[in-house]
Amino acid sequence: MSSSKLWWFLHVPQLLLDEQLSLQSQEQQQQPQVLCTSDGQRRRQVVQANRAAVAGGVREGMAEVTASTLLPDLQQRDYDEDREVQVLRRLAQWLHQDIAQIALYPPHGLLLAVHDLQRMYGGYAGVQRQLQRRLNSIAVHYVLAAGYSPLVARLLAQSGKNILSADKAVLQHELGQVSIMQSLLPAQQQQQLQEVGIERLGALLHLPVAELGARFGRNMFSYMAQLKGDLLPPQQWYRPPLRFRECLDLLTEVASWQQLLFPLRRLLQQLEAFLQVRQLSVTELALIAHHRDKRQTFVRVAFALPLWRQRDMLQLVQLQLERQQLKTPALELSVRAEDFSAREVQHGSWLPAQQDAYTQGNEQRQLQALLGKLQARLGEQAVQQAQWVQDWRPELAQQWQTSAAVQLKTAISADLPRPLWLLPEAEPINVSDWQLQWGPERIQSGWWDGQSMVRDYFIALDRWQRQGWIYRTCASYQSNESSEQWYLHGWYS
């Protein structure tokens, strides 16, 4: 394959610890902390340590007993590789906004194919700026290295070399300084190479590949081909999930929803990245607090307006959580979202007619946003709006519903003159006090449900020149014509 391809490897050596530190206050982050695991003999060892612990002499691989002796106030937690892989997937989802081809190297690495991104971001420097901007928005210690093959990028990054040069000669020079102990070769081959005096990859690159293959086996052929860029093995690219389900370990028990707002912001940032990649919006999500006894507390949050930005979602969620109480302290927090809608792009226009339509649409969105805030603060059932119903009878032509139940419909009588103010009940009137202006409009309906009506409606003026909507019950449906009665049903503005 062509050596013009370029790869980056993102090495995140203490990803799980960084995730936990990001959920703590500045004061808590300054305390020495480590994550420990145990080998087959149950001897616990340090696998990740923060700066305060390292400054106190703690090192990776150190026995837990030794570390505790050095720092009596050392905070120790169990290392969980499965949870760290989950964090790595979240990081891949976050970077997927900018880079489509990402391969996971769990638990501490991501391979990024950047050769096809230069045109999108205005050259190689533009690619670097975009990715650095994305990485700087998250609190993660990382090493980022380029390579003309995936293996080269990985070796440079895992050996601690921050280098993003696209020059193959520069990369080969840096690669030559990498120790055989960091070569990713099997331990037996590392020992064999050291026994013959090969301590760095530079010395290995100068040896004939045929002799290396004859002595160390077929796998060495493949390794050297990747090291020189002649072989680029296929990668299994990361594909974001179709549904959003993310969970954060809170480290300590949290007793109220208000205390969960900070970790919730992190999860909503991930949801924003999820939606941005797909150009979707969300209309509903679920918050789940996980308790020590394995029970869960669910809070459903519905939005009157489809949203995708973290700040907009957090504002409405915060309003709703003010009405909620957490009866049992939580150890973990989850956010789930499955109800998505395609994002609509709104465009302005210089044409008057289209500009008016855009203005009306913007006003409608502002009204829906206000409705969403009211429902989040007061409850979904406490805020309702009028909804057209497909019925000719004025009393039954609308009903009150929550925004979640409202569906846009066209009223049957939308093109006919209707008053803005409909009286709760029609009032009897003396028609001689009114001047008829328009009508009649016959409404004959309701025979199927026992609420039949036959009326003739008119627009008329009363003695004070107020415009009203009046009707009469049709004489042919009365026991005698003299019993015909007129009613006022509404007022026009």
Side-chain angles (χ1 to χ4, degrees):
M1 298 182 69
S2 171
S3 61
S4 62
K5 290 186 177 296
L6 191 63
W7 314 80
W8 287 352
F9 194 89
L10 181 67
H11 181 53
V12 280
Q14 55 179 59
L15 184 59
L16 183 57
L17 181 59
D18 287 337
E19 169 84 0
Q20 296 178 357
L21 291 172
S22 68
L23 299 174
Q24 301 175 8
S25 66
Q26 290 291 335
E27 182 180 355
Q28 290 175 317
Q29 292 177 15
Q30 302 306 315
Q31 299 173 356
Q33 303 178 42
V34 295
L35 299 182
C36 297
T37 187
S38 60
D39 58 19
Q41 298 178 350
R42 300 183 179 274
R43 184 168 58 89
R44 292 173 60 83
Q45 293 180 324
V46 174
V47 292
Q48 295 179 20
N50 69 344
R51 291 181 178 177
V54 172
V58 176
R59 296 293 181 267
E60 181 180 338
M62 179 179 289
E64 177 192 27
V65 175
T66 306
S68 299
T69 302
L70 287 173
L71 297 173
D73 59 342
L74 182 67
Q75 296 184 13
Q76 305 172 28
R77 290 186 294 275
D78 291 335
Y79 171 73
D80 187 336
E81 182 172 328
D82 291 338
R83 189 173 292 276
E84 187 165 41
V85 172
Q86 293 177 8
V87 181
L88 185 68
R89 290 184 180 277
R90 286 206 294 269
L91 179 58
Q93 182 171 290
W94 182 255
L95 296 176
H96 200 265
Q97 299 175 84
D98 303 309
I99 299 179
Q101 292 183 309
I102 302 176
L104 274 65
Y105 281 70
H108 298 136
L110 296 175
L111 178 69
L112 316 174
V114 300
H115 35 265
D116 295 329
L117 297 176
Q118 300 184 46
R119 182 178 299 179
M120 178 183 299
Y121 295 116
Y124 188 57
V127 177
Q128 295 182 56
R129 286 193 299 270
Q130 182 65 23
L131 184 60
Q132 293 284 2
R133 186 182 305 116
R134 184 68 65 184
L135 289 173
N136 289 339
S137 64
I138 54 178
V140 173
H141 292 85
Y142 65 88
V143 179
L144 186 61
Y148 49 85
S149 77
L151 178 61
V152 171
R154 184 181 180 186
L155 290 172
L156 290 174
Q158 293 187 175
S159 64
K161 296 182 180 294
N162 276 296
I163 178 171
L164 293 179
S165 174
D167 189 328
K168 186 174 182 178
V170 173
L171 295 174
Q172 283 186 329
H173 174 74
E174 294 294 332
L175 183 65
Q177 307 303 313
V178 175
S179 168
I180 288 296
M181 300 296 291
Q182 298 173 314
S183 65
L184 299 179
L185 286 167
Q188 182 180 0
Q189 289 186 349
Q190 293 180 21
Q191 183 178 355
Q192 291 174 340
L193 290 170
Q194 288 179 313
E195 288 174 352
V196 296
I198 300 176
E199 297 290 342
R200 301 188 180 278
L201 289 179
L204 189 65
L205 286 169
H206 288 90
L207 295 176
V209 176
E211 293 184 10
L212 288 172
R215 181 164 184 175
F216 296 104
R218 183 177 299 178
N219 290 339
M220 183 61 77
F221 277 114
S222 173
Y223 181 84
M224 294 303 298
Q226 294 182 56
L227 209 58
K228 295 185 176 184
D230 298 328
L231 174 63
L232 302 180
Q235 303 293 327
Q236 185 174 358
W237 301 117
Y238 167 77
R239 291 292 177 263
L242 299 178
R243 297 179 297 179
F244 183 85
R245 293 188 174 187
E246 292 293 344
C247 180
L248 276 183
D249 184 355
L250 303 175
L251 304 182
T252 59
E253 290 187 326
V254 177
S256 72
W257 282 111
Q258 294 302 313
Q259 293 175 296
L260 290 172
L261 288 178
F262 182 71
L264 177 60
R265 184 180 290 108
R266 293 282 306 278
L267 290 172
L268 293 181
Q269 286 175 345
Q270 290 291 331
L271 178 56
E272 177 180 329
F274 176 94
L275 297 170
Q276 179 68 355
V277 169
R278 297 162 177 79
Q279 289 296 292
L280 295 175
S281 297
V282 65
T283 56
E284 180 179 318
L285 54 84
L287 309 182
I288 306 159
H290 303 263
H291 307 294
R292 182 178 296 277
D293 57 3
K294 305 300 180 182
R295 290 189 299 112
Q296 299 176 344
T297 300
F298 287 80
V299 174
R300 173 182 168 273
V301 182
F303 305 130
L305 187 68
L307 303 175
W308 65 274
R309 290 187 177 89
Q310 173 261 343
R311 64 174 184 271
D312 298 330
M313 292 185 287
L314 182 63
Q315 183 183 38
L316 295 181
V317 171
Q318 185 172 0
L319 287 173
Q320 184 157 132
L321 291 182
E322 290 177 359
R323 300 185 291 109
Q324 305 287 339
Q325 289 186 349
L326 199 59
K327 296 181 180 180
T328 306
L331 285 172
E332 296 180 354
L333 177 66
S334 295
V335 171
R336 297 180 184 178
E338 299 179 3
D339 189 6
F340 306 116
S341 60
R343 195 178 305 172
E344 296 182 2
V345 180
Q346 303 294 332
H347 300 286
S349 174
W350 292 101
L351 300 177
Q354 295 183 9
Q355 194 172 35
D356 290 344
Y358 173 76
T359 302
Q360 293 176 1
N362 189 44
E363 292 175 351
Q364 180 67 20
R365 289 190 296 275
Q366 292 178 354
L367 181 60
Q368 289 179 318
L370 175 60
L371 179 63
K373 291 180 181 178
L374 290 173
Q375 288 180 330
R377 185 67 181 89
L378 303 176
E380 187 174 332
Q381 298 297 326
V383 182
Q384 300 183 352
Q385 56 183 318
Q387 168 72 0
W388 285 112
V389 178
Q390 296 279 3
D391 199 312
W392 284 99
R393 293 168 290 183
E395 294 91 338
L396 303 175
Q398 74 174 29
Q399 60 186 9
W400 294 96
Q401 294 182 340
T402 62
S403 63
V406 168
Q407 299 177 353
L408 295 180
K409 299 177 182 177
T410 301
I412 294 177
S413 56
D415 296 331
L416 297 172
R418 289 290 181 265
L420 295 178
W421 178 11
L422 197 67
L423 300 179
E425 294 184 3
E427 299 178 358
I429 60 171
N430 187 348
V431 72
S432 62
D433 296 333
W434 294 77
Q435 178 183 351
L436 303 183
Q437 286 187 307
W438 178 89
E441 175 197 344
R442 171 69 58 93
I443 296 181
Q444 181 175 350
S445 183
W447 53 267
W448 59 87
D449 61 5
Q451 302 183 57
S452 62
M453 66 173 58
V454 182
R455 300 172 182 172
D456 286 336
Y457 277 86
F458 298 81
I459 299 176
L461 295 177
D462 69 358
R463 65 181 64 183
W464 294 283
Q465 299 301 301
R466 296 178 301 179
Q467 194 174 47
W469 198 41
I470 68 175
Y471 72 85
R472 67 183 176 191
T473 55
C474 296
S476 59
Y477 281 78
Q478 300 297 325
S479 58
N480 60 76
E481 295 186 5
S482 63
S483 65
E484 181 182 86
Q485 178 63 55
W486 287 79
Y487 297 88
L488 171 65
H489 207 171
W491 293 101
Y492 291 90
S493 61

